[in-house]
């Protein structure tokens, strides 16, 4: 918690009572209720920013949480694709179109997915393989999305950012740049599950995890993007980019990878 905020003592109470997984969350809600009175009345409205893709399976788990936060008095803002506007606004959250945050890559109203496919064609040609594109372009796309995402978050001054780590890693990087707490909502079947997804993604194209890692480490496009992400004005740590896209999400060794 930022110590210059109203209600700082209340946030310390939450922090101290939130040890461990689900039981800690239950204790947090009790602590909030017990800390009411004048302190709770004076506390400013808390704000959460959600950054999720147009893939329904990835955004669905976040909607119930957003609706619950809204009921508790939080201001909730989403950054996502236009096709998700209705379900997002149904939770009581405010919707922002991702195209408006990254106009340079979303020309003509393209979504992030469409913009990625265009970047893939422009940089690698129409016959490039999907795994090659991820190794070459993952961080270049992050670089192109990052300035607008930082500005979008800065305007809303969130207490916490929630995001899909598979498709919206830019939320993590933007949060690190701004010093904002951030939480990934994992939408696959548990830790280690990404190894199976990788195998199913790579095998049809005749590639392996080692192939992805090798190309990621040797790609001039990727190395140039990482250099810019780790320089001014972002100054991100190179440790964030060591393992290779998309391996860094969860590692490759069950049950926990390197996370």
């Amino acid at each position: 918690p930022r110590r210059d905020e109203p209600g700082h003592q209340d946030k310390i109470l939450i922090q101290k009572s939130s040890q461990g997984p689900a039981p800690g969350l239950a204790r947090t809600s009790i602590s909030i209720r017990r800390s009411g009175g004048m302190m709770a009345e004076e506390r400013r409205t808390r704000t959460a920013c959600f950054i999720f893709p147009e893939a329904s399976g990835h955004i669905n788990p976040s909607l119930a949480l957003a609706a619950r936060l809204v009921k508790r008095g939080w201001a909730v803002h989403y950054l996502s694709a236009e096709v998700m506007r209705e379900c997002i606004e149904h939770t009581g959250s405010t919707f922002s179109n991702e195209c408006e945050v990254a106009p340079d890559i979303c020309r003509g109203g393209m979504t992030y997915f469409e913009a990625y496919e265009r970047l893939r064609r422009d940089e690698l040609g129409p016959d490039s393989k999907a795994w090659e594109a991820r190794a070459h372009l993952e961080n270049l796309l992050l670089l192109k999305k990052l300035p607008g995402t930082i500005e979008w978050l800065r305007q809303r001054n969130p207490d916490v950012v929630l995001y899909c780590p598979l498709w919206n890693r830019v939320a993590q990087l933007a949060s690190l740049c701004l010093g904002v707490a951030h939480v990934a909502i994992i939408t696959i079947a548990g830790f280690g599950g990404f190894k199976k997804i990788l195998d199913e993604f790579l095998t049809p194209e005749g590639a392996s995890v080692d192939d992805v890692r090798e190309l990621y480490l040797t790609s001039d496009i990727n190395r140039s993007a990482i250099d810019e992400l780790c320089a001014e004005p972002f100054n991100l740590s190179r440790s964030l980019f060591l393992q290779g896209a998309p391996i860094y999400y969860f590692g490759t060794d069950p049950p926990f990878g390197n996370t």
Side-chain angles (χ1 to χ4, degrees):
R2 294 190 291 272
R3 294 182 177 273
D4 58 345
E5 290 180 344
H8 166 68
Q9 291 176 302
D10 197 38
K11 290 192 174 186
I12 290 296
L13 176 61
I14 293 170
Q15 185 183 52
K16 287 181 178 178
S17 64
S18 299
Q19 302 298 322
L25 295 178
R27 289 196 297 275
T28 295
S29 61
I30 293 171
S31 299
I32 292 172
R33 287 195 292 271
R34 289 176 178 172
S35 67
M38 187 63 68
M39 186 190 304
E41 292 175 6
E42 293 177 351
R43 185 178 59 221
R44 69 172 178 83
T45 299
R46 291 194 175 98
T47 299
C49 286
F50 285 59
I51 302 181
F52 283 83
E54 61 183 288
S56 57
H58 293 260
I59 195 172
N60 281 346
S62 74
L63 297 173
L65 176 58
R68 179 136 179 121
L69 290 175
V70 169
K71 283 186 177 181
R72 286 174 172 257
W74 285 60
V76 178
H77 303 275
Y78 264 86
L79 181 63
S80 189
E82 180 65 33
V83 69
M84 295 299 175
R85 177 189 290 271
E86 185 177 356
C87 66
I88 287 170
E89 292 183 341
H90 186 70
T91 69
S93 305
T94 300
F95 170 82
S96 294
N97 193 323
E98 63 188 16
C99 299
E100 299 169 3
V101 173
D104 290 343
I105 63 170
C106 295
R107 297 188 301 276
M110 284 186 169
T111 65
Y112 282 169
F113 286 166
E114 293 168 331
Y116 172 77
E117 287 302 318
R118 180 171 62 186
L119 183 66
R120 174 180 168 181
R121 291 192 302 271
D122 291 347
E123 294 285 342
L124 305 176
D127 298 325
S128 61
K129 294 181 178 180
W131 73 269
E132 294 173 333
R134 292 300 293 270
H136 282 297
L137 302 178
E138 179 88 5
N139 290 317
L140 178 60
L141 188 66
L142 285 174
L143 177 63
K144 291 177 177 293
K145 294 192 294 184
L146 187 54
T149 305
I150 290 173
E151 183 57 28
W152 185 82
L153 289 175
R154 183 181 284 122
Q155 291 174 3
R156 287 153 184 81
N157 191 28
D159 295 279
V160 64
V161 175
L162 299 100
Y163 66 100
C164 170
L166 295 176
W167 289 109
N168 297 98
R169 196 192 184 203
V170 66
Q172 178 202 30
L173 303 185
S175 298
L176 288 169
C177 289
L178 294 172
V180 179
H182 48 285
V183 180
I185 296 183
I186 299 170
T187 55
I188 63 172
F191 288 103
F194 200 61
K195 175 62 164 61
K196 181 173 177 59
I197 293 175
L198 274 178
D199 289 342
E200 293 177 352
F201 168 68
L202 295 171
T203 300
E205 294 193 331
S208 67
V209 170
D210 289 338
D211 293 330
V212 179
R213 182 184 285 111
E214 178 64 21
L215 183 57
Y216 178 90
L217 294 174
T218 58
S219 165
D220 289 336
I221 296 173
N222 182 52
R223 288 191 293 192
S224 177
I226 293 174
D227 286 343
E228 291 194 53
L229 287 164
C230 297
E232 293 284 351
F234 309 120
N235 292 319
L236 292 164
S237 169
R238 288 188 178 273
S239 64
L240 293 165
F241 309 101
L242 289 180
Q243 289 207 60
I247 300 165
Y248 51 69
Y249 297 121
F250 304 110
T252 58
D253 300 320
F256 300 114
N258 293 308
T259 300

